Each structure stands twice: as C-alpha cells, then as structure tokens.
Amino acid sequence: MKKVLFLFIIASCLFQIQGLSQKAQVGISGGVSVSNVYGRLGGLDNRGDARTGFTAGLVVDAPIKKSNISFQPGLHYVQKGKYTLKTEAVKEADALRYADLLLNFVAYVGKPGKARLFMGLGPQLGFNLPSKKIREEDGDKSELRSINFGNTAASDYRGIDYGANGLIGIRFKCDVLFSVNYTFGLRNLIPEDLINDDDHLRNGSFGFRISYLFPNTPKE
C-alpha cells in the first residue's frame, strides 16, 4: 500500500512539472520491452534468454530555459525478467514487473517546429511490482508461483532496483516521439543472505517506445 501511494505521488508530481514551465508538456508513452537478467553465479556466467514484454507510462518534457536541453522524467510500467527454460515445447520464465522512474536529461539537435533528433542520459529507479514464475506448454500459460522480493534466503530477488538509462530518438513536428532506450541495472538482485563471493545478477532492458506530448496551451 505504501508503494502504491508513493507511485501515485510521483505521477502527480510529473503533472505538476507542467505548471512550473510554460513550455513543459505532459505525455503518454507505450511500446515494447526486451529484457534479461544476467551476471555470475558460483563463478560462472549466468544469463537467461531475453523476454519480450510491453511498457506504458507517463512522460514529461520540460525545456531548460532557452537551450536545446530538456528535463524528461517519466514513470513507466515495464515487463522484465528472463526465460529460465526455453525449448520448442516448454518455456519457463521469471516474469518480473517494475515501475521504472526515469530522470533523463535530453539534448535536441535541430530547430523547434521541425523533426529533431535527441539523445539523453539519466538515473533509473525501479520499484518491484507483483511478479510471477510462469510456464508455457503447448500454447497454454500457467502461473507456477509468486516471486518473492527481499533480502532473506527465502527470497528470489532483491526488491527496489536502480541503475542508469540512455536513450536516443526522434521527435516529430506533431509532438510524437519515437525512442530507443537501454536501462542498465546497477544493483545486485541476489538477496543479501544468498550472496557468495562475487556472485551478482542485474537487470538489463531495452525499450522501444512511442510517446505523444499533449499541447500545454489550448489551440486557438
């Protein structure tokens, strides 16, 4: 409940940014995510098969004074995880779900009012949401059990994630944006009670998003 309230407060703050700048615009975003969990376990490389999911959320673009730099925060629901077993007949996966807060600073190339390229960087904070271990066999999908987040030996992964995000894209004249981003997890996801030596697992996720920024003033 506390996490839901916190995410609601973050979403409300994103809308409030529009009121702080005459040129700031709020928008919606949606697309596809391609994610994996990788690292080292027992001294050996550990990497699952990448999973494809979807992502959706809110985004704000707030120009910084008269420069070509904008602060572009966003709150996105993202499906992540990995396949732990993948054959022609059977697939088993850790279907992880996060609410990712991205705090990007982007630089535009080109003149306003025309199609412009942009690229950016920023930190990422991921809040774990209810997640499942799932199984797909002969086209039928079933839930094996819930994934436990925490630091004890009974947990599957640590909870809150954090990392860095980079993106590149194009903004069209109609305020539609197409972007590709990669979020690199920096936090070791192995529960504290299960860490041995240099063992580590981290999230990695590509996002392919289309966003639309609403006009911040009524059209005459």
Side-chain angles (χ1 to χ4, degrees):
M1 185 64 183
K2 291 181 179 179
K3 189 180 298 181
V4 173
L5 178 60
F6 184 63
L7 293 173
F8 176 78
I9 292 173
I10 291 175
S12 298
C13 289
L14 292 180
F15 281 105
Q16 292 301 317
I17 292 176
Q18 187 180 30
L20 300 177
S21 171
Q22 292 183 346
K23 295 184 178 181
Q25 293 176 262
V26 175
I28 54 176
S29 176
V32 176
S33 60
V34 180
S35 307
N36 207 337
V37 179
Y38 57 89
R40 292 180 68 83
L41 289 175
L44 301 175
D45 289 339
N46 184 280
R47 179 184 293 268
D49 286 314
R51 293 189 69 244
T52 300
F54 74 88
T55 174
L58 300 172
V59 64
V60 175
D61 187 88
I64 299 176
K65 296 185 177 180
K66 296 182 179 181
S67 69
N68 288 325
I69 307 296
S70 285
F71 178 47
Q72 198 177 89
L75 182 63
H76 306 271
Y77 168 80
V78 187
Q79 294 183 333
K80 299 183 182 181
K82 65 178 181 179
Y83 282 107
T84 55
L85 172 66
K86 191 174 183 181
T87 66
E88 291 186 3
V90 180
K91 298 178 182 178
E92 291 187 1
D94 290 352
L96 305 181
R97 306 289 186 264
Y98 287 90
D100 272 1
L101 175 64
L102 304 179
L103 302 174
N104 295 312
F105 287 88
V106 303
Y108 286 97
V109 179
K111 295 182 179 181
K114 298 183 178 181
R116 293 186 290 168
L117 296 174
F118 64 88
M119 59 190 69
L121 291 170
Q124 169 262 350
L125 187 61
F127 300 91
N128 59 285
L129 301 175
S131 303
K132 303 284 186 179
K133 286 184 175 288
I134 60 174
R135 179 183 177 91
E136 299 176 40
E137 185 172 4
D138 297 329
D140 295 326
K141 182 183 294 186
S142 60
E143 296 181 357
L144 299 178
R145 66 174 177 85
S146 296
I147 288 177
N148 298 315
F149 292 94
N151 284 316
T152 67
S155 303
D156 299 293
Y157 296 95
R158 285 186 178 180
I160 293 177
D161 188 22
Y162 54 80
N165 180 71
L167 74 161
I168 187 170
I170 183 170
R171 177 173 176 168
F172 298 98
K173 185 178 179 180
C174 57
D175 287 334
V176 171
L177 291 74
F178 174 76
S179 64
V180 179
N181 78 289
Y182 183 75
T183 302
F184 175 73
L186 295 175
R187 191 181 196 198
N188 188 350
L189 297 178
I190 300 175
E192 189 173 330
D193 289 352
L194 297 177
I195 294 178
N196 293 312
D197 300 325
D198 65 343
D199 286 356
H200 61 273
L201 291 175
R202 294 186 173 90
N203 273 316
S205 180
F206 279 101
F208 302 86
R209 292 188 172 95
I210 295 178
S211 307
Y212 174 68
L213 299 174
F214 297 102
N216 59 357
T217 55
K219 293 183 178 181
E220 297 181 358

Coordinates of all heavy atoms in Angstrom, one line a residue, residues 62-92:
A62 N 10.3 19.0 -20.3 CA 10.4 20.4 -19.7 C 11.7 21.1 -20.2 O 12.8 20.8 -19.7 CB 10.4 20.4 -18.2
P63 N 11.6 21.9 -21.2 CA 12.8 22.6 -21.7 C 13.5 23.4 -20.6 O 12.8 24.0 -19.7 CB 12.3 23.6 -22.8 CG 11.0 22.9 -23.2 CD 10.4 22.3 -22.0
I64 N 14.8 23.4 -20.6 CA 15.6 24.2 -19.6 C 16.0 25.5 -20.2 O 16.8 25.6 -21.1 CB 16.8 23.4 -19.2 CG1 16.4 22.1 -18.5 CG2 17.7 24.3 -18.2 CD1 17.6 21.2 -18.1
K65 N 15.2 26.6 -19.8 CA 15.4 28.0 -20.3 C 15.3 28.0 -21.9 O 14.4 27.4 -22.5 CB 16.7 28.5 -19.8 CG 16.7 28.7 -18.3 CD 17.9 29.4 -17.8 CE 17.8 29.6 -16.3 NZ 19.0 30.3 -15.7
K66 N 16.3 28.6 -22.5 CA 16.2 28.7 -24.0 C 17.2 27.8 -24.7 O 17.6 28.0 -25.8 CB 16.5 30.2 -24.4 CG 15.5 31.1 -23.9 CD 15.8 32.5 -24.4 CE 14.7 33.5 -24.0 NZ 14.9 34.9 -24.5
S67 N 17.7 26.8 -24.0 CA 18.7 25.8 -24.5 C 18.0 24.7 -25.3 O 16.8 24.6 -25.3 CB 19.5 25.2 -23.4 OG 18.7 24.4 -22.6
N68 N 18.8 23.8 -25.9 CA 18.3 22.6 -26.6 C 18.2 21.5 -25.6 O 18.1 20.3 -26.1 CB 19.1 22.3 -27.8 CG 18.9 23.3 -28.9 OD1 17.8 23.8 -29.1 ND2 20.0 23.6 -29.6
I69 N 18.4 21.7 -24.3 CA 18.3 20.7 -23.3 C 17.0 20.7 -22.6 O 16.4 21.7 -22.3 CB 19.4 20.9 -22.2 CG1 20.8 21.0 -22.9 CG2 19.5 19.7 -21.2 CD1 21.3 19.8 -23.6
S70 N 16.4 19.5 -22.4 CA 15.2 19.3 -21.7 C 15.3 18.3 -20.5 O 16.1 17.3 -20.7 CB 14.0 18.8 -22.6 OG 13.6 19.8 -23.4
F71 N 14.6 18.5 -19.5 CA 14.5 17.5 -18.4 C 13.3 16.7 -18.8 O 12.2 17.2 -19.0 CB 14.3 18.2 -17.1 CG 14.1 17.3 -15.9 CD1 14.9 16.2 -15.7 CD2 13.0 17.5 -15.0 CE1 14.7 15.3 -14.7 CE2 12.8 16.6 -13.9 CZ 13.7 15.5 -13.8
Q72 N 13.5 15.4 -18.9 CA 12.4 14.5 -19.4 C 12.2 13.3 -18.5 O 12.6 12.2 -18.7 CB 12.8 14.0 -20.8 CG 11.6 13.5 -21.6 CD 12.1 13.1 -23.0 OE1 12.5 11.9 -23.2 NE2 12.0 14.0 -24.0
P73 N 11.6 13.5 -17.3 CA 11.3 12.4 -16.4 C 10.1 11.6 -16.9 O 9.3 12.1 -17.7 CB 10.9 13.2 -15.1 CG 10.3 14.5 -15.6 CD 11.1 14.8 -16.8
G74 N 10.0 10.4 -16.5 CA 8.9 9.5 -16.8 C 8.7 8.4 -15.8 O 9.7 8.0 -15.1
L75 N 7.5 7.9 -15.7 CA 7.2 6.8 -14.8 C 6.5 5.8 -15.7 O 5.5 6.0 -16.3 CB 6.2 7.2 -13.7 CG 5.8 6.2 -12.7 CD1 7.0 5.7 -11.9 CD2 4.8 6.7 -11.7
H76 N 7.2 4.6 -15.8 CA 6.8 3.6 -16.8 C 6.6 2.2 -16.1 O 7.4 1.8 -15.3 CB 7.8 3.4 -17.9 CG 8.2 4.7 -18.6 ND1 7.5 5.1 -19.7 CD2 9.2 5.6 -18.3 CE1 8.1 6.3 -20.1 NE2 9.1 6.6 -19.3
Y77 N 5.5 1.6 -16.5 CA 5.3 0.1 -16.1 C 6.1 -0.6 -17.2 O 5.9 -0.5 -18.4 CB 3.8 -0.2 -16.2 CG 3.5 -1.7 -16.2 CD1 3.6 -2.4 -15.0 CD2 3.3 -2.4 -17.3 CE1 3.3 -3.8 -14.9 CE2 3.0 -3.8 -17.3 CZ 3.1 -4.4 -16.1 OH 2.8 -5.8 -16.0
V78 N 7.0 -1.5 -16.7 CA 7.8 -2.3 -17.6 C 7.8 -3.8 -17.2 O 8.0 -4.1 -16.1 CB 9.3 -1.8 -17.6 CG1 10.1 -2.5 -18.7 CG2 9.3 -0.3 -17.8
Q79 N 7.6 -4.6 -18.2 CA 7.7 -6.1 -18.0 C 9.1 -6.5 -18.3 O 9.7 -6.2 -19.4 CB 6.8 -6.8 -19.0 CG 5.3 -6.6 -18.6 CD 4.4 -7.4 -19.5 OE1 4.7 -7.7 -20.7 NE2 3.2 -7.7 -19.1
K80 N 9.8 -7.1 -17.3 CA 11.2 -7.5 -17.4 C 11.3 -9.0 -17.1 O 10.3 -9.7 -17.1 CB 12.1 -6.7 -16.5 CG 12.1 -5.2 -16.8 CD 13.0 -4.5 -15.9 CE 13.0 -3.0 -16.1 NZ 14.0 -2.2 -15.3
G81 N 12.5 -9.5 -16.8 CA 12.7 -10.8 -16.4 C 13.5 -11.6 -17.4 O 14.2 -11.1 -18.2
K82 N 13.4 -12.9 -17.3 CA 14.2 -13.8 -18.2 C 13.5 -15.2 -18.3 O 12.7 -15.6 -17.5 CB 15.6 -14.0 -17.7 CG 15.6 -14.8 -16.3 CD 17.1 -15.0 -15.9 CE 17.1 -15.7 -14.5 NZ 18.5 -15.9 -14.1
Y83 N 13.8 -15.9 -19.4 CA 13.4 -17.3 -19.5 C 14.5 -18.1 -18.8 O 15.7 -18.1 -19.1 CB 13.4 -17.7 -21.0 CG 12.1 -17.3 -21.7 CD1 12.1 -16.2 -22.6 CD2 10.9 -17.9 -21.4 CE1 11.0 -15.8 -23.2 CE2 9.7 -17.5 -22.0 CZ 9.8 -16.4 -22.9 OH 8.6 -16.0 -23.6
T84 N 14.1 -18.9 -17.9 CA 15.0 -19.9 -17.2 C 15.0 -21.2 -17.9 O 15.9 -22.0 -17.7 CB 14.5 -20.1 -15.7 OG1 13.1 -20.5 -15.7 CG2 14.6 -18.7 -15.0
L85 N 14.0 -21.5 -18.7 CA 14.0 -22.7 -19.5 C 13.2 -22.4 -20.8 O 12.2 -21.8 -20.8 CB 13.2 -23.8 -18.8 CG 12.9 -25.1 -19.6 CD1 14.2 -25.8 -19.9 CD2 12.0 -26.0 -18.8
K86 N 13.8 -22.8 -21.9 CA 13.2 -22.4 -23.2 C 13.5 -23.5 -24.2 O 14.6 -23.7 -24.7 CB 13.7 -21.1 -23.7 CG 13.0 -20.5 -24.9 CD 13.4 -19.1 -25.3 CE 12.6 -18.5 -26.4 NZ 13.1 -17.2 -26.7
T87 N 12.5 -24.3 -24.5 CA 12.6 -25.4 -25.6 C 11.4 -25.1 -26.6 O 10.6 -24.2 -26.4 CB 12.5 -26.8 -25.0 OG1 11.2 -27.0 -24.4 CG2 13.5 -27.0 -23.9
E88 N 11.4 -26.0 -27.6 CA 10.3 -25.8 -28.5 C 8.9 -26.1 -27.9 O 7.9 -25.5 -28.3 CB 10.5 -26.8 -29.7 CG 11.7 -26.4 -30.6 CD 11.8 -27.3 -31.8 OE1 10.9 -28.1 -32.0 OE2 12.7 -27.1 -32.6
A89 N 8.9 -26.9 -26.9 CA 7.6 -27.3 -26.3 C 7.3 -26.6 -25.0 O 6.1 -26.3 -24.7 CB 7.5 -28.8 -26.1
V90 N 8.3 -26.3 -24.2 CA 8.1 -25.7 -22.9 C 9.0 -24.5 -22.7 O 10.1 -24.4 -23.1 CB 8.5 -26.8 -21.8 CG1 8.3 -26.2 -20.4 CG2 7.6 -28.0 -22.0
K91 N 8.4 -23.5 -22.0 CA 9.1 -22.3 -21.6 C 8.7 -22.0 -20.2 O 7.6 -22.0 -19.8 CB 8.7 -21.1 -22.5 CG 9.0 -21.3 -24.0 CD 8.6 -20.0 -24.8 CE 8.8 -20.2 -26.3 NZ 8.3 -19.0 -27.0
E92 N 9.7 -21.7 -19.4 CA 9.5 -21.2 -18.0 C 10.3 -19.9 -17.9 O 11.4 -19.8 -18.4 CB 10.0 -22.3 -17.0 CG 9.1 -23.5 -17.0 CD 9.5 -24.5 -15.9 OE1 10.5 -24.1 -15.1 OE2 8.9 -25.5 -15.8

